[in-house]
Amino acid sequence: MFNTGSVRLSRTLATKVPVVRSATINRSKQQCSFYATGSNSSSNSTASPIDVPKHTSATATATNGNSGWLQKLTLMTASAAAGAFAYSKYNTASMEGLSGMPIGKMTPTILTEEEPDEAFVTKPTKEKLEEIKRSVLLEREMAELDLVAEYKDKVKMGEWKEANPYWYLTKNTTPHHLTAGTLRGENMLSVHPIKFERKDQKAIVLFLHLGRSLCGHDRIIHGGLLATLLDEATGMVALPNLPYHIGFTANLNLNYRKPVKADQFVMIKAEFERGEGRKGYTKASIHDLDGNTLVECTALFVSPKNPVTMVANYVKNSLGFTGSS
């Protein structure tokens, strides 16, 4: 972990520790002979300050525990001092001070035997690297769209803000999410959507790319996938405006106006129309980059009667507690 400078520091510290004496018991003669180690060793000894002398018998190693643990303690002390010295030379300014350290920035997750804390890191294949390159090119192309630039101007004016559509997901829940995990990949939903949200949280706009492998008819995006995307978009405007920000889709009505071709960028608009107690009414639509309306929908979301109890039960079940609520 440390360089040779740390090793030199360890040896320097070792020469300053008190003299340690190891005893060798000769079972045949029942007498003890002592060998000095450390700074008081004889000038003829070639052993290092913290090494066991070469003439120490194997019997001493097996029978005398004091020498072993004292040597280990010396090594540990020297190593700890070297580590403290290296840390004292650490420049926290290069990582924006302590704020740049990863401490306190890990999202707490609930793990199971099937979901290890750290994934095994493997070297990506050549095909995977090519896929990543194509995905990066698509992301750049989407970020440079004229419509995206228009909404970025609205962000600068303070009317809208750019947001993460999957802010609520963790590294363990993302792989099990339909659009953020299962359908994420080349020729599917290969790029992370760009989301713009109005400041009152009652309207959003999403930009995304629909790949070739999401089709029903050849080169035509499956209608069920379009319904899924619209369901998610309407949920993004419904939940912030429902009691306790919790709700479920109660009704989803769609009108397919035109076939949605594969391998193209699309824009999804969603708006919260009104709320009535636990109910939230929304609408959404999918458009191509030329402004043509491809699909329209209306959706009704309902918040549960006891949202607090529902959240408590969800957390309890996630933590593995069982029993009646």
Side-chain angles (χ1 to χ4, degrees), residues 220-264:
I220 302 296
I221 298 299
H222 196 290
L225 175 71
L226 300 174
T228 298
L229 296 176
L230 289 171
D231 181 40
E232 284 199 345
T234 51
M236 290 179 184
V237 293
L239 268 59
N241 295 282
L242 287 175
Y244 297 95
H245 308 305
I246 300 174
F248 299 93
T249 310
N251 183 272
L252 183 67
N253 292 316
L254 290 93
N255 291 311
Y256 297 92
R257 302 299 184 186
K258 293 182 178 181
V260 181
K261 297 180 181 179
D263 286 329
Q264 69 165 325

Side-chain angles (χ1 to χ4, degrees), residues 12 21-22 35 78 97 102 147 168 202 215 245 258 280 294 322:
T12 302
R21 296 184 178 275
S22 59
Y35 299 93
L147 288 172
Y168 52 91
K202 292 187 177 181
C215 297
H245 308 305
K258 293 182 178 181
L294 306 176
T322 58

Side-chain angles (χ1 to χ4, degrees), residues 305-321:
K305 293 182 179 180
N306 299 308
V308 177
T309 303
M310 182 190 122
V311 172
N313 289 333
Y314 175 80
V315 173
K316 182 181 69 174
N317 294 333
S318 299
L319 292 174
F321 296 107

Side-chain angles (χ1 to χ4, degrees), residues 29 38 54 76 93 118 126 137 142 149 179 215 218 227 229 270 284 304:
K29 297 182 179 181
K54 295 182 179 180
M76 292 172 62
E118 296 294 338
K126 182 179 180 180
L137 292 176
M142 185 169 66
T179 58
C215 297
D218 188 32
L229 296 176

Side-chain angles (χ1 to χ4, degrees), residues 98-111:
L98 294 178
S99 63
M101 300 293 287
I103 301 173
K105 294 188 176 182
M106 296 184 65
T107 303
T109 54
I110 300 172
L111 306 178

Side-chain angles (χ1 to χ4, degrees), residues 35-218:
Y35 299 93
T37 62
S39 57
N40 293 339
S41 300
S42 62
S43 58
N44 296 331
S45 174
T46 58
S48 63
I50 56 176
D51 290 337
V52 178
K54 295 182 179 180
H55 51 275
T56 302
S57 65
T59 309
T61 306
T63 59
N64 192 340
N66 294 335
S67 175
W69 73 261
L70 283 174
Q71 292 175 28
K72 291 179 181 179
L73 180 61
T74 303
L75 285 171
M76 292 172 62
T77 303
S79 300
F85 176 79
Y87 185 79
S88 67
K89 299 298 182 182
Y90 178 74
N91 183 14
T92 56
S94 63
M95 294 182 65
E96 301 178 357
L98 294 178
S99 63
M101 300 293 287
I103 301 173
K105 294 188 176 182
M106 296 184 65
T107 303
T109 54
I110 300 172
L111 306 178
T112 65
E113 294 180 356
E114 291 78 17
E115 297 174 336
D117 188 24
E118 296 294 338
F120 292 100
V121 179
T122 58
K123 185 177 180 181
T125 61
K126 182 179 180 180
E127 292 76 12
K128 186 63 178 179
L129 290 175
E130 292 297 326
E131 177 184 340
I132 294 174
K133 290 180 181 179
R134 288 189 290 269
S135 177
V136 171
L137 292 176
L138 278 176
E139 286 184 349
R140 291 178 180 175
E141 184 179 353
M142 185 169 66
E144 295 173 356
L145 295 175
D146 292 338
L147 288 172
V148 172
E150 290 181 13
Y151 278 92
K152 287 187 176 181
D153 290 338
K154 293 182 179 180
V155 171
K156 294 178 181 179
M157 296 173 62
E159 303 173 2
W160 292 66
K161 63 180 180 180
E162 193 167 352
N164 179 10
Y166 301 120
W167 60 268
Y168 52 91
L169 296 178
T170 67
K171 66 177 182 180
N172 287 326
T173 58
T174 297
H176 307 295
H177 192 275
L178 182 59
T179 58
T182 307
L183 296 178
R184 181 60 57 86
E186 189 174 27
N187 294 321
M188 296 189 291
L189 301 175
S190 58
V191 298
H192 191 79
I194 297 177
K195 176 186 175 182
F196 295 97
E197 182 180 67
R198 205 166 66 193
K199 286 296 184 66
D200 61 1
Q201 294 187 312
K202 292 187 177 181
I204 66 164
V205 173
L206 292 168
F207 293 92
L208 61 157
H209 184 270
L210 304 178
R212 177 75 180 274
S213 298
L214 301 174
C215 297
H217 297 288
D218 188 32

